Amino acid sequence: MKLFRSLMLAALGLPSLPLPVFAQAAWTSKPLHLIVPYSPGGGASGVIAATALAQADPDCYTVLYDASTFAVNPALRKQPFDPARDLIPASLAVTVPNILVVAPNAPYRSFAEFIDYARKNPGKTTFASYGSGLTYVTTGNLRVLAVTSSKRMTALPEVPTISESGFKGFEVLEWNGFFLPKNAPREIVQKLSKEIQAAAKDADTLKRLRQLNVDPVGGTPEEFADFLHAEMTRWTALVKSNKITAD
């Protein structure tokens, strides 16, 4: 459990256990290779890292810790692997909502006003994403218009959700999860999943993740597979209906 608790915290920029802990897998003493695609090494939105896992030996000593773009990539770009066939989802680790922020002197003070402005002023709004910036919100350097979760954030109880702001049922969450290569033994997939579920329930992990408004999840391989299917279906439909392409 310590291994995966450390990984979840370290991937979010939180210090945890010393790095040598990462060298020991929960089911064996052989070194475990953990692929974390982002910062540094985020090439091609994680495709390089996912490809590395797809091509890895299915001995379960290589594990991928990927993010939300995993579900978007198939709709935007040709990949050298099949995410549904070549990778096994082990467990969803964490989810976190996005927040829509603007400059404090922006002419709109709500999400509805922002949408109205954007519609009346085509080409005059720009967008950028994303990083660690809750501190900018609390100091007043940014104004929050809405959050993308289905419920308001505990840290920002006064900020409405996008669903409350006129887009009923809207929910978009960032997420991280663990994957194994195809043909990984079923018992190892289940063992990894149970380790992640235990780490997600650890009291210290819960406290530290919630300081960042990150929600630990944990879950079975089947639950993660269903989640991924829904995510991929959703983003593929959005990309196709809006004719979105990746530059």
Side-chain angles (χ1 to χ4, degrees):
M1 182 183 76
K2 290 182 179 179
L3 170 70
F4 299 106
R5 189 191 80 171
S6 296
L7 179 57
M8 285 192 287
L9 295 175
L12 291 164
L14 292 176
S16 184
L17 301 175
L19 287 179
V21 173
F22 288 85
Q24 304 298 324
W27 53 82
T28 179
S29 60
K30 183 176 178 178
L32 177 69
H33 300 283
L34 298 167
I35 305 174
V36 181
Y38 303 98
S39 296
S45 297
V47 173
I48 293 174
T51 301
L53 182 70
Q55 297 174 349
D57 192 307
D59 60 3
C60 301
Y61 296 119
T62 303
V63 179
L64 173 68
Y65 187 67
D66 213 338
S68 311
T69 51
F70 181 91
V72 181
N73 282 330
L76 288 176
R77 50 178 60 87
K78 186 177 181 180
Q79 302 181 104
F81 67 96
D82 183 333
R85 183 192 64 205
D86 296 332
L87 304 180
I88 297 177
S91 181
L92 180 62
V94 297
T95 62
V96 59
N98 289 309
I99 58 176
L100 177 65
V101 296
V102 296
N105 61 349
Y108 23 77
R109 304 195 66 84
S110 70
F111 183 70
E113 289 180 3
F114 167 74
I115 293 297
D116 183 63
Y117 177 89
R119 286 171 173 167
K120 292 178 179 178
N121 298 273
K124 292 187 177 181
T125 55
T126 57
F127 167 79
S129 72
Y130 60 84
S132 178
L134 287 170
T135 55
Y136 288 104
V137 171
T138 56
T139 58
N141 291 313
L142 291 174
R143 181 192 303 157
V144 186
L145 299 185
V147 298
T148 64
S149 50
S150 61
K151 299 179 180 179
R152 295 193 181 196
M153 293 175 61
T154 302
L156 300 170
E158 74 285 357
V159 178
T161 66
I162 288 181
S163 181
E164 291 178 281
S165 304
F167 291 80
K168 299 298 182 182
F170 184 96
E171 182 181 36
V172 173
L173 299 174
E174 295 294 318
W175 57 264
N176 293 104
F178 291 87
F179 297 82
L180 286 168
K182 66 178 180 180
N183 300 324
R186 177 67 178 172
E187 61 270 20
I188 297 301
V189 177
Q190 292 290 347
K191 177 65 175 177
L192 173 59
S193 176
K194 289 179 180 179
E195 290 284 346
I196 298 162
Q197 292 176 59
K201 295 176 182 177
D202 175 73
D204 183 55
T205 304
L206 285 169
K207 178 181 177 181
R208 299 173 76 179
L209 291 178
R210 285 172 178 165
Q211 288 174 349
L212 292 181
N213 298 296
V214 175
D215 296 315
V217 180
T220 67
E222 293 77 16
E223 289 169 337
F224 191 22
D226 289 343
F227 174 85
L228 283 172
H229 177 74
E231 284 282 282
M232 290 180 176
T233 300
R234 169 197 211 176
W235 293 115
T236 297
L238 181 69
V239 167
K240 289 183 176 180
S241 64
N242 289 278
K243 297 181 174 59
I244 298 172
T245 59
D247 293 332

